PDB file of all heavy atoms in Angstrom:
ATOM      1  N   ASN D 262      12.573  14.553 -22.600  1.00  0.00           N
ATOM      2  CA  ASN D 262      12.868  15.852 -22.964  1.00  0.00           C
ATOM      3  C   ASN D 262      12.287  16.129 -24.438  1.00  0.00           C
ATOM      4  O   ASN D 262      12.037  15.165 -25.156  1.00  0.00           O
ATOM      5  CB  ASN D 262      14.338  16.170 -22.956  1.00  0.00           C
ATOM      6  CG  ASN D 262      15.003  16.080 -21.588  1.00  0.00           C
ATOM      7  OD1 ASN D 262      14.303  16.375 -20.592  1.00  0.00           O
ATOM      8  ND2 ASN D 262      16.195  15.670 -21.503  1.00  0.00           N
ATOM      9  N   SER D 263      12.163  17.378 -24.737  1.00  0.00           N
ATOM     10  CA  SER D 263      11.555  17.738 -26.077  1.00  0.00           C
ATOM     11  C   SER D 263      10.359  16.962 -26.380  1.00  0.00           C
ATOM     12  O   SER D 263      10.186  16.388 -27.437  1.00  0.00           O
ATOM     13  CB  SER D 263      12.695  17.502 -27.141  1.00  0.00           C
ATOM     14  OG  SER D 263      13.832  18.202 -26.835  1.00  0.00           O
ATOM     15  N   LEU D 264       9.391  17.001 -25.480  1.00  0.00           N
ATOM     16  CA  LEU D 264       8.177  16.226 -25.649  1.00  0.00           C
ATOM     17  C   LEU D 264       7.336  16.797 -26.782  1.00  0.00           C
ATOM     18  O   LEU D 264       7.311  17.989 -27.037  1.00  0.00           O
ATOM     19  CB  LEU D 264       7.380  16.244 -24.369  1.00  0.00           C
ATOM     20  CG  LEU D 264       7.913  15.335 -23.306  1.00  0.00           C
ATOM     21  CD1 LEU D 264       7.312  15.645 -21.897  1.00  0.00           C
ATOM     22  CD2 LEU D 264       7.557  13.814 -23.629  1.00  0.00           C
ATOM     23  N   LYS D 265       6.730  15.856 -27.496  1.00  0.00           N
ATOM     24  CA  LYS D 265       5.836  16.213 -28.586  1.00  0.00           C
ATOM     25  C   LYS D 265       4.375  15.650 -28.361  1.00  0.00           C
ATOM     26  O   LYS D 265       4.205  14.784 -27.538  1.00  0.00           O
ATOM     27  CB  LYS D 265       6.342  15.549 -29.969  1.00  0.00           C
ATOM     28  CG  LYS D 265       7.776  15.926 -30.238  1.00  0.00           C
ATOM     29  CD  LYS D 265       8.261  15.334 -31.599  1.00  0.00           C
ATOM     30  CE  LYS D 265       8.357  13.851 -31.445  1.00  0.00           C
ATOM     31  NZ  LYS D 265       8.983  13.277 -32.789  1.00  0.00           N
ATOM     32  N   PRO D 266       3.393  16.274 -28.984  1.00  0.00           N
ATOM     33  CA  PRO D 266       2.076  15.823 -28.798  1.00  0.00           C
ATOM     34  C   PRO D 266       1.864  14.257 -29.133  1.00  0.00           C
ATOM     35  O   PRO D 266       1.054  13.574 -28.511  1.00  0.00           O
ATOM     36  CB  PRO D 266       1.211  16.571 -29.828  1.00  0.00           C
ATOM     37  CG  PRO D 266       1.978  17.881 -29.893  1.00  0.00           C
ATOM     38  CD  PRO D 266       3.346  17.484 -29.796  1.00  0.00           C
ATOM     39  N   GLU D 267       2.730  13.797 -30.024  1.00  0.00           N
ATOM     40  CA  GLU D 267       2.720  12.401 -30.244  1.00  0.00           C
ATOM     41  C   GLU D 267       3.147  11.462 -29.151  1.00  0.00           C
ATOM     42  O   GLU D 267       2.884  10.307 -29.257  1.00  0.00           O
ATOM     43  CB  GLU D 267       3.585  12.088 -31.545  1.00  0.00           C
ATOM     44  CG  GLU D 267       3.189  12.787 -32.829  1.00  0.00           C
ATOM     45  CD  GLU D 267       4.004  14.131 -32.954  1.00  0.00           C
ATOM     46  OE1 GLU D 267       3.644  15.052 -32.100  1.00  0.00           O
ATOM     47  OE2 GLU D 267       4.886  14.221 -33.783  1.00  0.00           O
ATOM     48  N   ASP D 268       3.757  12.049 -28.071  1.00  0.00           N
ATOM     49  CA  ASP D 268       4.132  11.318 -26.917  1.00  0.00           C
ATOM     50  C   ASP D 268       2.965  11.030 -25.999  1.00  0.00           C
ATOM     51  O   ASP D 268       3.199  10.343 -24.990  1.00  0.00           O
ATOM     52  CB  ASP D 268       5.331  12.028 -26.216  1.00  0.00           C
ATOM     53  CG  ASP D 268       6.568  12.055 -27.071  1.00  0.00           C
ATOM     54  OD1 ASP D 268       6.912  11.121 -27.685  1.00  0.00           O
ATOM     55  OD2 ASP D 268       7.159  13.153 -27.052  1.00  0.00           O
ATOM     56  N   THR D 269       1.820  11.690 -26.223  1.00  0.00           N
ATOM     57  CA  THR D 269       0.718  11.572 -25.376  1.00  0.00           C
ATOM     58  C   THR D 269       0.250  10.090 -25.278  1.00  0.00           C
ATOM     59  O   THR D 269      -0.127   9.565 -26.305  1.00  0.00           O
ATOM     60  CB  THR D 269      -0.468  12.516 -25.778  1.00  0.00           C
ATOM     61  OG1 THR D 269      -0.033  13.838 -25.704  1.00  0.00           O
ATOM     62  CG2 THR D 269      -1.625  12.200 -24.961  1.00  0.00           C
ATOM     63  N   ALA D 270       0.202   9.548 -24.072  1.00  0.00           N
ATOM     64  CA  ALA D 270      -0.203   8.167 -23.933  1.00  0.00           C
ATOM     65  C   ALA D 270      -0.184   7.885 -22.499  1.00  0.00           C
ATOM     66  O   ALA D 270       0.284   8.618 -21.621  1.00  0.00           O
ATOM     67  CB  ALA D 270       0.817   7.207 -24.658  1.00  0.00           C
ATOM     68  N   VAL D 271      -0.673   6.643 -22.132  1.00  0.00           N
ATOM     69  CA  VAL D 271      -0.500   6.048 -20.856  1.00  0.00           C
ATOM     70  C   VAL D 271       0.852   5.307 -20.817  1.00  0.00           C
ATOM     71  O   VAL D 271       0.963   4.454 -21.706  1.00  0.00           O
ATOM     72  CB  VAL D 271      -1.640   5.103 -20.438  1.00  0.00           C
ATOM     73  CG1 VAL D 271      -1.388   4.537 -19.093  1.00  0.00           C
ATOM     74  CG2 VAL D 271      -2.996   5.929 -20.409  1.00  0.00           C
ATOM     75  N   TYR D 272       1.638   5.632 -19.870  1.00  0.00           N
ATOM     76  CA  TYR D 272       2.975   4.941 -19.781  1.00  0.00           C
ATOM     77  C   TYR D 272       2.944   3.905 -18.688  1.00  0.00           C
ATOM     78  O   TYR D 272       2.565   4.184 -17.616  1.00  0.00           O
ATOM     79  CB  TYR D 272       4.052   6.021 -19.496  1.00  0.00           C
ATOM     80  CG  TYR D 272       4.441   6.938 -20.732  1.00  0.00           C
ATOM     81  CD1 TYR D 272       3.505   7.802 -21.255  1.00  0.00           C
ATOM     82  CD2 TYR D 272       5.636   6.761 -21.284  1.00  0.00           C
ATOM     83  CE1 TYR D 272       3.829   8.520 -22.361  1.00  0.00           C
ATOM     84  CE2 TYR D 272       5.975   7.497 -22.490  1.00  0.00           C
ATOM     85  CZ  TYR D 272       5.024   8.429 -23.004  1.00  0.00           C
ATOM     86  OH  TYR D 272       5.406   9.113 -24.073  1.00  0.00           O
ATOM     87  N   TYR D 273       3.375   2.699 -19.072  1.00  0.00           N
ATOM     88  CA  TYR D 273       3.323   1.538 -18.248  1.00  0.00           C
ATOM     89  C   TYR D 273       4.733   1.102 -17.849  1.00  0.00           C
ATOM     90  O   TYR D 273       5.566   0.860 -18.709  1.00  0.00           O
ATOM     91  CB  TYR D 273       2.555   0.339 -18.874  1.00  0.00           C
ATOM     92  CG  TYR D 273       1.111   0.670 -19.111  1.00  0.00           C
ATOM     93  CD1 TYR D 273       0.656   1.156 -20.285  1.00  0.00           C
ATOM     94  CD2 TYR D 273       0.186   0.394 -18.145  1.00  0.00           C
ATOM     95  CE1 TYR D 273      -0.597   1.390 -20.550  1.00  0.00           C
ATOM     96  CE2 TYR D 273      -1.172   0.661 -18.355  1.00  0.00           C
ATOM     97  CZ  TYR D 273      -1.570   1.151 -19.554  1.00  0.00           C
ATOM     98  OH  TYR D 273      -2.896   1.355 -19.862  1.00  0.00           O
ATOM     99  N   CYS D 274       4.911   0.913 -16.519  1.00  0.00           N
ATOM    100  CA  CYS D 274       6.263   0.444 -16.110  1.00  0.00           C
ATOM    101  C   CYS D 274       6.219  -1.044 -16.386  1.00  0.00           C
ATOM    102  O   CYS D 274       5.262  -1.818 -16.117  1.00  0.00           O
ATOM    103  CB  CYS D 274       6.497   0.748 -14.610  1.00  0.00           C
ATOM    104  SG  CYS D 274       7.978   0.112 -13.906  1.00  0.00           S
ATOM    105  N   TYR D 275       7.421  -1.588 -16.812  1.00  0.00           N
ATOM    106  CA  TYR D 275       7.594  -2.956 -17.132  1.00  0.00           C
ATOM    107  C   TYR D 275       8.710  -3.576 -16.314  1.00  0.00           C
ATOM    108  O   TYR D 275       9.716  -2.948 -16.188  1.00  0.00           O
ATOM    109  CB  TYR D 275       7.850  -3.137 -18.674  1.00  0.00           C
ATOM    110  CG  TYR D 275       8.438  -4.501 -19.079  1.00  0.00           C
ATOM    111  CD1 TYR D 275       7.590  -5.595 -19.431  1.00  0.00           C
ATOM    112  CD2 TYR D 275       9.819  -4.559 -19.219  1.00  0.00           C
ATOM    113  CE1 TYR D 275       8.122  -6.694 -19.838  1.00  0.00           C
ATOM    114  CE2 TYR D 275      10.354  -5.828 -19.606  1.00  0.00           C
ATOM    115  CZ  TYR D 275       9.519  -6.873 -19.931  1.00  0.00           C
ATOM    116  OH  TYR D 275       9.986  -8.064 -20.314  1.00  0.00           O
ATOM    117  N   LEU D 276       8.422  -4.792 -15.914  1.00  0.00           N
ATOM    118  CA  LEU D 276       9.448  -5.458 -15.018  1.00  0.00           C
ATOM    119  C   LEU D 276       9.572  -6.935 -15.401  1.00  0.00           C
ATOM    120  O   LEU D 276       8.493  -7.594 -15.379  1.00  0.00           O
ATOM    121  CB  LEU D 276       9.087  -5.265 -13.550  1.00  0.00           C
ATOM    122  CG  LEU D 276      10.018  -5.987 -12.522  1.00  0.00           C
ATOM    123  CD1 LEU D 276      11.386  -5.427 -12.512  1.00  0.00           C
ATOM    124  CD2 LEU D 276       9.442  -5.853 -11.128  1.00  0.00           C
ATOM    125  N   ASN D 277      10.692  -7.391 -15.749  1.00  0.00           N
ATOM    126  CA  ASN D 277      11.005  -8.841 -15.914  1.00  0.00           C
ATOM    127  C   ASN D 277      11.892  -9.269 -14.790  1.00  0.00           C
ATOM    128  O   ASN D 277      12.991  -8.845 -14.654  1.00  0.00           O
ATOM    129  CB  ASN D 277      11.641  -9.095 -17.301  1.00  0.00           C
ATOM    130  CG  ASN D 277      11.814 -10.518 -17.619  1.00  0.00           C
ATOM    131  OD1 ASN D 277      12.923 -11.050 -17.471  1.00  0.00           O
ATOM    132  ND2 ASN D 277      10.767 -11.213 -17.985  1.00  0.00           N
ATOM    133  N   LEU D 278      11.370 -10.191 -13.989  1.00  0.00           N
ATOM    134  CA  LEU D 278      12.046 -10.567 -12.738  1.00  0.00           C
ATOM    135  C   LEU D 278      11.885 -12.029 -12.412  1.00  0.00           C
ATOM    136  O   LEU D 278      11.115 -12.725 -12.990  1.00  0.00           O
ATOM    137  CB  LEU D 278      11.498  -9.706 -11.564  1.00  0.00           C
ATOM    138  CG  LEU D 278      10.146 -10.086 -11.073  1.00  0.00           C
ATOM    139  CD1 LEU D 278       9.975  -9.630  -9.641  1.00  0.00           C
ATOM    140  CD2 LEU D 278       8.992  -9.655 -11.990  1.00  0.00           C
ATOM    141  N   ARG D 279      12.614 -12.499 -11.450  1.00  0.00           N
ATOM    142  CA  ARG D 279      12.445 -13.796 -10.803  1.00  0.00           C
ATOM    143  C   ARG D 279      12.026 -13.455  -9.392  1.00  0.00           C
ATOM    144  O   ARG D 279      12.733 -12.778  -8.599  1.00  0.00           O
ATOM    145  CB  ARG D 279      13.730 -14.611 -10.852  1.00  0.00           C
ATOM    146  CG  ARG D 279      13.506 -16.053 -10.336  1.00  0.00           C
ATOM    147  CD  ARG D 279      14.757 -16.901 -10.498  1.00  0.00           C
ATOM    148  NE  ARG D 279      15.904 -16.423  -9.850  1.00  0.00           N
ATOM    149  CZ  ARG D 279      16.150 -16.671  -8.547  1.00  0.00           C
ATOM    150  NH1 ARG D 279      15.365 -17.476  -7.882  1.00  0.00           N
ATOM    151  NH2 ARG D 279      17.198 -16.185  -7.998  1.00  0.00           N
ATOM    152  N   THR D 280      10.900 -14.099  -9.058  1.00  0.00           N
ATOM    153  CA  THR D 280      10.451 -13.927  -7.624  1.00  0.00           C
ATOM    154  C   THR D 280      11.151 -14.933  -6.723  1.00  0.00           C
ATOM    155  O   THR D 280      11.803 -15.838  -7.104  1.00  0.00           O
ATOM    156  CB  THR D 280       8.863 -14.105  -7.675  1.00  0.00           C
ATOM    157  OG1 THR D 280       8.568 -15.519  -7.944  1.00  0.00           O
ATOM    158  CG2 THR D 280       8.137 -13.223  -8.618  1.00  0.00           C
ATOM    159  N   THR D 281      10.882 -14.704  -5.382  1.00  0.00           N
ATOM    160  CA  THR D 281      11.446 -15.543  -4.408  1.00  0.00           C
ATOM    161  C   THR D 281      10.746 -16.952  -4.362  1.00  0.00           C
ATOM    162  O   THR D 281      11.216 -17.868  -3.762  1.00  0.00           O
ATOM    163  CB  THR D 281      11.370 -14.933  -3.053  1.00  0.00           C
ATOM    164  OG1 THR D 281       9.995 -14.513  -2.739  1.00  0.00           O
ATOM    165  CG2 THR D 281      12.167 -13.652  -2.956  1.00  0.00           C
ATOM    166  N   TRP D 282       9.628 -17.007  -5.030  1.00  0.00           N
ATOM    167  CA  TRP D 282       8.811 -18.265  -4.993  1.00  0.00           C
ATOM    168  C   TRP D 282       8.798 -19.046  -6.311  1.00  0.00           C
ATOM    169  O   TRP D 282       8.032 -20.104  -6.444  1.00  0.00           O
ATOM    170  CB  TRP D 282       7.419 -18.046  -4.548  1.00  0.00           C
ATOM    171  CG  TRP D 282       6.743 -16.811  -5.216  1.00  0.00           C
ATOM    172  CD1 TRP D 282       6.753 -15.582  -4.680  1.00  0.00           C
ATOM    173  CD2 TRP D 282       6.033 -16.844  -6.384  1.00  0.00           C
ATOM    174  NE1 TRP D 282       5.984 -14.727  -5.527  1.00  0.00           N
ATOM    175  CE2 TRP D 282       5.616 -15.530  -6.640  1.00  0.00           C
ATOM    176  CE3 TRP D 282       5.706 -17.804  -7.341  1.00  0.00           C
ATOM    177  CZ2 TRP D 282       4.891 -15.179  -7.755  1.00  0.00           C
ATOM    178  CZ3 TRP D 282       5.126 -17.482  -8.471  1.00  0.00           C
ATOM    179  CH2 TRP D 282       4.693 -16.139  -8.636  1.00  0.00           C
ATOM    180  N   ALA D 283       9.550 -18.555  -7.298  1.00  0.00           N
ATOM    181  CA  ALA D 283       9.587 -19.308  -8.617  1.00  0.00           C
ATOM    182  C   ALA D 283      10.968 -19.226  -9.194  1.00  0.00           C
ATOM    183  O   ALA D 283      11.644 -18.155  -9.055  1.00  0.00           O
ATOM    184  CB  ALA D 283       8.510 -18.700  -9.549  1.00  0.00           C
ATOM    185  N   ALA D 284      11.357 -20.265  -9.857  1.00  0.00           N
ATOM    186  CA  ALA D 284      12.714 -20.322 -10.494  1.00  0.00           C
ATOM    187  C   ALA D 284      12.798 -19.607 -11.847  1.00  0.00           C
ATOM    188  O   ALA D 284      13.790 -19.069 -12.214  1.00  0.00           O
ATOM    189  CB  ALA D 284      13.126 -21.778 -10.677  1.00  0.00           C
ATOM    190  N   HIS D 285      11.681 -19.473 -12.554  1.00  0.00           N
ATOM    191  CA  HIS D 285      11.621 -18.913 -13.866  1.00  0.00           C
ATOM    192  C   HIS D 285      11.324 -17.357 -13.728  1.00  0.00           C
ATOM    193  O   HIS D 285      10.858 -16.905 -12.723  1.00  0.00           O
ATOM    194  CB  HIS D 285      10.508 -19.505 -14.692  1.00  0.00           C
ATOM    195  CG  HIS D 285       9.172 -19.341 -14.137  1.00  0.00           C
ATOM    196  ND1 HIS D 285       8.682 -20.164 -13.154  1.00  0.00           N
ATOM    197  CD2 HIS D 285       8.205 -18.430 -14.454  1.00  0.00           C
ATOM    198  CE1 HIS D 285       7.358 -19.769 -12.938  1.00  0.00           C
ATOM    199  NE2 HIS D 285       7.086 -18.775 -13.702  1.00  0.00           N
ATOM    200  N   PHE D 286      11.686 -16.676 -14.824  1.00  0.00           N
ATOM    201  CA  PHE D 286      11.391 -15.237 -14.839  1.00  0.00           C
ATOM    202  C   PHE D 286       9.994 -15.020 -15.267  1.00  0.00           C
ATOM    203  O   PHE D 286       9.380 -15.713 -16.034  1.00  0.00           O
ATOM    204  CB  PHE D 286      12.322 -14.521 -15.797  1.00  0.00           C
ATOM    205  CG  PHE D 286      13.686 -14.267 -15.234  1.00  0.00           C
ATOM    206  CD1 PHE D 286      14.705 -15.228 -15.337  1.00  0.00           C
ATOM    207  CD2 PHE D 286      14.000 -13.063 -14.674  1.00  0.00           C
ATOM    208  CE1 PHE D 286      15.939 -14.901 -14.809  1.00  0.00           C
ATOM    209  CE2 PHE D 286      15.252 -12.741 -14.142  1.00  0.00           C
ATOM    210  CZ  PHE D 286      16.246 -13.718 -14.213  1.00  0.00           C
ATOM    211  N   THR D 287       9.366 -14.003 -14.685  1.00  0.00           N
ATOM    212  CA  THR D 287       8.058 -13.597 -15.024  1.00  0.00           C
ATOM    213  C   THR D 287       7.988 -12.105 -15.253  1.00  0.00           C
ATOM    214  O   THR D 287       9.003 -11.370 -15.013  1.00  0.00           O
ATOM    215  CB  THR D 287       7.082 -14.005 -13.817  1.00  0.00           C
ATOM    216  OG1 THR D 287       5.661 -13.710 -14.247  1.00  0.00           O
ATOM    217  CG2 THR D 287       7.412 -13.148 -12.565  1.00  0.00           C
ATOM    218  N   THR D 288       6.821 -11.587 -15.846  1.00  0.00           N
ATOM    219  CA  THR D 288       6.707 -10.229 -16.195  1.00  0.00           C
ATOM    220  C   THR D 288       5.612  -9.575 -15.358  1.00  0.00           C
ATOM    221  O   THR D 288       4.580 -10.225 -15.221  1.00  0.00           O
ATOM    222  CB  THR D 288       6.340 -10.149 -17.713  1.00  0.00           C
ATOM    223  OG1 THR D 288       7.442 -10.662 -18.522  1.00  0.00           O
ATOM    224  CG2 THR D 288       6.114  -8.635 -18.095  1.00  0.00           C
ATOM    225  N   ASP D 289       5.850  -8.403 -14.912  1.00  0.00           N
ATOM    226  CA  ASP D 289       4.828  -7.539 -14.181  1.00  0.00           C
ATOM    227  C   ASP D 289       4.741  -6.204 -14.821  1.00  0.00           C
ATOM    228  O   ASP D 289       5.695  -5.698 -15.401  1.00  0.00           O
ATOM    229  CB  ASP D 289       5.293  -7.517 -12.757  1.00  0.00           C
ATOM    230  CG  ASP D 289       4.169  -7.074 -11.861  1.00  0.00           C
ATOM    231  OD1 ASP D 289       2.982  -7.215 -12.257  1.00  0.00           O
ATOM    232  OD2 ASP D 289       4.382  -6.768 -10.676  1.00  0.00           O
ATOM    233  N   TRP D 290       3.517  -5.698 -14.705  1.00  0.00           N
ATOM    234  CA  TRP D 290       3.191  -4.319 -15.233  1.00  0.00           C
ATOM    235  C   TRP D 290       2.633  -3.404 -14.214  1.00  0.00           C
ATOM    236  O   TRP D 290       1.919  -3.789 -13.317  1.00  0.00           O
ATOM    237  CB  TRP D 290       2.198  -4.463 -16.270  1.00  0.00           C
ATOM    238  CG  TRP D 290       2.682  -5.141 -17.583  1.00  0.00           C
ATOM    239  CD1 TRP D 290       2.595  -6.538 -17.800  1.00  0.00           C
ATOM    240  CD2 TRP D 290       3.268  -4.544 -18.720  1.00  0.00           C
ATOM    241  NE1 TRP D 290       3.111  -6.831 -18.978  1.00  0.00           N
ATOM    242  CE2 TRP D 290       3.541  -5.642 -19.579  1.00  0.00           C
ATOM    243  CE3 TRP D 290       3.683  -3.319 -19.043  1.00  0.00           C
ATOM    244  CZ2 TRP D 290       4.198  -5.477 -20.853  1.00  0.00           C
ATOM    245  CZ3 TRP D 290       4.276  -3.160 -20.237  1.00  0.00           C
ATOM    246  CH2 TRP D 290       4.469  -4.169 -21.174  1.00  0.00           C
ATOM    247  N   GLY D 291       3.041  -2.118 -14.268  1.00  0.00           N
ATOM    248  CA  GLY D 291       2.379  -1.117 -13.411  1.00  0.00           C
ATOM    249  C   GLY D 291       0.937  -0.771 -13.998  1.00  0.00           C
ATOM    250  O   GLY D 291       0.570  -1.204 -14.996  1.00  0.00           O
ATOM    251  N   GLN D 292       0.283   0.039 -13.164  1.00  0.00           N
ATOM    252  CA  GLN D 292      -1.019   0.357 -13.554  1.00  0.00           C
ATOM    253  C   GLN D 292      -1.071   1.491 -14.603  1.00  0.00           C
ATOM    254  O   GLN D 292      -2.180   1.751 -15.205  1.00  0.00           O
ATOM    255  CB  GLN D 292      -1.909   0.823 -12.298  1.00  0.00           C
ATOM    256  CG  GLN D 292      -2.076  -0.307 -11.393  1.00  0.00           C
ATOM    257  CD  GLN D 292      -3.009  -0.036 -10.217  1.00  0.00           C
ATOM    258  OE1 GLN D 292      -3.188   1.215  -9.976  1.00  0.00           O
ATOM    259  NE2 GLN D 292      -3.388  -0.958  -9.472  1.00  0.00           N
ATOM    260  N   GLY D 293      -0.046   2.204 -14.838  1.00  0.00           N
ATOM    261  CA  GLY D 293       0.012   3.209 -15.805  1.00  0.00           C
ATOM    262  C   GLY D 293      -0.157   4.602 -15.286  1.00  0.00           C
ATOM    263  O   GLY D 293      -0.767   4.859 -14.357  1.00  0.00           O
ATOM    264  N   THR D 294       0.639   5.565 -15.832  1.00  0.00           N
ATOM    265  CA  THR D 294       0.583   6.949 -15.590  1.00  0.00           C
ATOM    266  C   THR D 294       0.390   7.747 -16.845  1.00  0.00           C
ATOM    267  O   THR D 294       0.969   7.511 -17.826  1.00  0.00           O
ATOM    268  CB  THR D 294       1.831   7.364 -14.757  1.00  0.00           C
ATOM    269  OG1 THR D 294       1.629   8.770 -14.433  1.00  0.00           O
ATOM    270  CG2 THR D 294       3.089   7.279 -15.605  1.00  0.00           C
ATOM    271  N   GLN D 295      -0.555   8.794 -16.806  1.00  0.00           N
ATOM    272  CA  GLN D 295      -0.869   9.476 -18.008  1.00  0.00           C
ATOM    273  C   GLN D 295       0.105  10.617 -18.288  1.00  0.00           C
ATOM    274  O   GLN D 295       0.427  11.379 -17.376  1.00  0.00           O
ATOM    275  CB  GLN D 295      -2.352  10.090 -17.821  1.00  0.00           C
ATOM    276  CG  GLN D 295      -2.749  10.934 -19.011  1.00  0.00           C
ATOM    277  CD  GLN D 295      -3.104  10.184 -20.307  1.00  0.00           C
ATOM    278  OE1 GLN D 295      -3.731   9.118 -20.181  1.00  0.00           O
ATOM    279  NE2 GLN D 295      -2.550  10.649 -21.413  1.00  0.00           N
ATOM    280  N   VAL D 296       0.534  10.693 -19.447  1.00  0.00           N
ATOM    281  CA  VAL D 296       1.409  11.713 -20.005  1.00  0.00           C
ATOM    282  C   VAL D 296       0.639  12.467 -21.100  1.00  0.00           C
ATOM    283  O   VAL D 296       0.361  11.768 -22.095  1.00  0.00           O
ATOM    284  CB  VAL D 296       2.725  11.295 -20.417  1.00  0.00           C
ATOM    285  CG1 VAL D 296       3.558  12.385 -21.126  1.00  0.00           C
ATOM    286  CG2 VAL D 296       3.528  10.668 -19.245  1.00  0.00           C
ATOM    287  N   THR D 297       0.390  13.692 -20.965  1.00  0.00           N
ATOM    288  CA  THR D 297      -0.313  14.469 -21.997  1.00  0.00           C
ATOM    289  C   THR D 297       0.546  15.651 -22.429  1.00  0.00           C
ATOM    290  O   THR D 297       0.960  16.476 -21.522  1.00  0.00           O
ATOM    291  CB  THR D 297      -1.672  15.002 -21.445  1.00  0.00           C
ATOM    292  OG1 THR D 297      -2.458  13.857 -21.080  1.00  0.00           O
ATOM    293  CG2 THR D 297      -2.427  15.697 -22.560  1.00  0.00           C
ATOM    294  N   VAL D 298       0.782  15.762 -23.693  1.00  0.00           N
ATOM    295  CA  VAL D 298       1.639  16.806 -24.277  1.00  0.00           C
ATOM    296  C   VAL D 298       0.702  17.673 -25.127  1.00  0.00           C
ATOM    297  O   VAL D 298       0.143  17.270 -26.065  1.00  0.00           O
ATOM    298  CB  VAL D 298       2.792  16.319 -24.975  1.00  0.00           C
ATOM    299  CG1 VAL D 298       3.635  17.471 -25.509  1.00  0.00           C
ATOM    300  CG2 VAL D 298       3.581  15.304 -24.170  1.00  0.00           C
TER     301      VAL D 298
END
């Protein structure tokens, strides 16, 4: 809400998870979605 021009960027989804094939946690990223104000 109350978006400002300074918010213009590519927004990336971030996920820290444990997969079914590994005991440790790993990080995954989305491809990004453009937000332009």
Side-chain angles (χ1 to χ4, degrees):
N262 298 326
S263 301
L264 283 163
K265 303 183 293 185
E267 301 92 288
D268 296 318
T269 296
V271 177
Y272 285 68
Y273 296 92
C274 182
Y275 164 85
L276 176 65
N277 184 257
L278 77 158
R279 185 172 65 83
T280 64
T281 57
W282 45 265
H285 63 278
F286 280 87
T287 187
T288 298
D289 199 15
W290 293 90
Q292 293 185 347
T294 183
Q295 177 70 46
V296 172
T297 302
V298 184

